[in-house]
Amino acid sequence: MKIEKVGVVGCGLMGHGIVQVAAQGGFEVIVVETEQTFLDKGIARIEKSLAKLARKAVEKGKQSEDDASAFVEMARGRIHPTLDKQELADCDLVIEAIVENMNVKKALLRELGDICKREAIFGSNTSSFSIAEMGEASGRPDRMVGLHFFNPVQLMKLVEVVRTDATDNEVYEAAKAFGKACGKAPVSCGDTPGFVVNRLLVPYMVQAIQMLDRGDATAEDIDTAMRFGCGHPMGPITLTDYVGLDTTLSILEGWCERYPDEPAFAIPRSLRRLVGEGQLGRKTGQGYFNWEGDKRV
Ligand code: 3HC
C-alpha cells in the first residue's frame, strides 16, 4: 500500500504543520479549507516556517544557501491549496485537522467517504475523540486511523498512530510509515480518550489551572516551577495558551460527557470564563498570558 498523494482538510494551527511536514517528507499535498483567507493564512505560516528552518540549516552549516533554497522551493512546490474537496478524490491518504467537534468531524468523514477513492486511508488528527466513531461515519472503518501530531508540528518529533478494532493491518502499517517519512517517531496506541500524551498532559494542565484558580501560586510561578523543577520546555499555563484554551475546553467537555465521574477531567472555572470572553491563548493574543505573535509579552 503506497502513499504518494496526501490530502489535509484544515490549514489552521495543526493542519498547516501537517501539510508542511508531509511536503518536506516528499508527498504531494492537497490542502483544503473552507475560506480563501484561512488558506492564505496557513500557507503564509508554512512559508515563514520553511524559511526559518532553511535559515537555521545554513547557520548550523548543515546546508549550503543553494541547497536550503532548493529545499524551500521543493517543499512549497508540493503543496496545492484549494477550496474544493473534490480534489481529494485520488489522494491515497486524507487527514482531517478541522475543529475539535465530533459532529462536524463525522459530517466531514461522511463526505470524504463519498468523494475519495475506495482504497484511500482516512486519518484524524483529533486530540481526544473516538477514531472508531469517525471510521463508522466514513463508511470505511477498516481504512480509518488516528494520526495525532503535536504543536508545533514542524518541531515536535512524535506522532501517535491510533488503531481501532476494525483498522486493517496494512492500513495501520502504511500510516506508521507515513509518520516516519514525515520525520516523526510513531508510537502505537489504542482508541482510548486522549491516547497516550493527552491522557497524561491534559489532566496535568487542569491541575495547574485549578492551582491558579485557588490562588495557591501565580501563573508565572507555576510555570517557572515546572520548567526549572522538572525541566519542561514550557510550564503548564503557557502550554495551555499555546495549545489553545478553546481546544483544551473542547477536549475536556468531550471527556466529561463520556466519563462524568472522572475527577481528572473536571473543567476549571477560569478556563470556561476565558473561552467565553474569546481569550483563547496565543492565537488571539490573550489567554492566561498576553502574546505577540509567537512570543509571550
Ligand atoms: N517552524 C519553524 N521553526 C520554529 C517554529 C515553527 N513552527 N516554531 C518555533 N520555531 C523556532 C523558533 O523560531 C526558534 O528559532 P531560533 O532558535 O532560530 O530563534 C526555535 O524554534 C526555538 O523556539 P523558541 O525560541 O520560541 O523557544 P523554545 O526553545 O522554547 O522552543 C518549543 C519552542 C519547541 C515550542 C518548546 O518550547 C517546546 O517544546 N514546548 C512544548 C510544546 C509542547 O508540549 N507541545 C505539545 C502540545 S500538546 C499537543 O499539541 C497535543 C494537542 O492535541 C493538544
Side-chain angles (χ1 to χ4, degrees):
M1 194 173 293
K2 196 156 170 52
I3 296 173
E4 284 171 354
K5 190 169 178 183
V6 175
V8 179
V9 186
C11 198
L13 189 64
M14 299 302 287
H16 89 277
I18 298 171
V19 170
Q20 182 177 332
V21 295
Q24 287 173 205
F27 300 93
E28 288 299 318
V29 189
I30 306 289
V31 51
V32 184
E33 256 298 354
T34 49
E35 285 183 32
Q36 191 61 43
T37 48
F38 298 153
L39 261 188
D40 293 344
K41 201 171 159 197
I43 297 297
R45 284 175 103 162
I46 291 171
E47 287 171 350
K48 194 171 153 197
S49 172
L50 284 172
K52 223 184 244 183
L53 295 176
R55 180 175 49 76
K56 267 197 167 167
V58 173
E59 276 169 13
K60 287 188 179 163
K62 286 186 179 166
Q63 272 186 331
S64 67
E65 293 265 5
D66 285 352
D67 287 349
S69 306
F71 154 80
V72 172
E73 231 171 85
M74 208 186 298
R76 177 63 187 86
R78 292 190 187 117
I79 300 171
H80 312 285
T82 177
L83 298 176
D84 182 5
K85 287 194 198 98
Q86 296 298 331
E87 292 192 34
L88 299 169
D90 65 343
C91 285
D92 305 305
L93 164 69
V94 179
I95 303 169
E96 73 76 20
I98 62 169
V99 64
E100 198 65 2
N101 175 311
M102 190 53 151
N103 289 332
V104 183
K105 284 187 191 288
K106 279 192 195 169
L108 172 66
L109 263 305
R110 260 192 293 276
E111 230 184 315
L112 293 178
D114 291 336
I115 293 171
C116 298
K117 63 181 181 186
R118 180 62 192 99
E119 59 277 26
I121 297 174
F122 294 144
S124 170
N125 182 57
T126 181
S127 312
S128 58
F129 288 133
S130 157
I131 303 298
E133 268 187 58
M134 280 184 251
E136 287 300 329
S138 75
R140 309 178 190 178
D142 56 321
R143 319 296 296 170
M144 186 82 214
V145 287
L147 273 168
H148 185 218
F149 290 85
F150 293 83
N151 178 26
V153 179
Q154 294 90 340
L155 304 185
M156 304 309 282
K157 299 242 181 306
L158 182 69
V159 61
E160 290 175 325
V161 187
V162 183
R163 69 188 307 167
T164 74
D165 292 343
T167 307
D168 183 284
N169 205 39
E170 257 189 89
V171 166
Y172 180 70
E173 290 303 328
K176 248 170 67 176
F178 166 76
K180 265 193 200 157
C182 291
K184 305 300 172 198
V187 295
S188 304
C189 41
D191 192 15
T192 55
F195 316 127
V196 175
V197 171
N198 280 345
R199 180 64 181 82
L200 297 172
L201 187 67
V202 175
Y204 154 69
M205 285 150 66
V206 163
Q207 286 299 312
I209 298 168
Q210 284 176 346
M211 192 176 273
L212 176 68
D213 288 355
R214 286 194 303 269
D216 294 346
T218 64
E220 198 66 59
D221 283 349
I222 292 169
D223 277 8
T224 301
M226 293 311 291
R227 283 175 57 228
F228 296 157
C230 294
H232 291 191
M234 274 178 185
I237 309 289
T238 303
L239 188 59
T240 307
D241 271 3
Y242 199 77
V243 166
L245 273 56
D246 52 340
T247 302
T248 308
L249 181 61
S250 297
I251 294 172
L252 286 166
E253 283 177 338
W255 287 350
C256 283
E257 211 179 295
R258 282 158 68 196
Y259 307 95
D261 299 327
E262 173 55 72
F265 303 156
I267 300 174
R269 236 189 261 163
S270 62
L271 184 66
R272 251 194 220 293
R273 178 177 51 77
L274 288 169
V275 172
E277 290 167 0
Q279 299 187 24
L280 309 183
R282 187 179 65 137
K283 60 184 150 191
T284 58
Q286 273 185 324
Y288 286 99
F289 294 104
N290 292 326
W291 295 75
E292 255 172 34
D294 283 351
K295 301 277 172 218
R296 265 185 50 197
V297 287

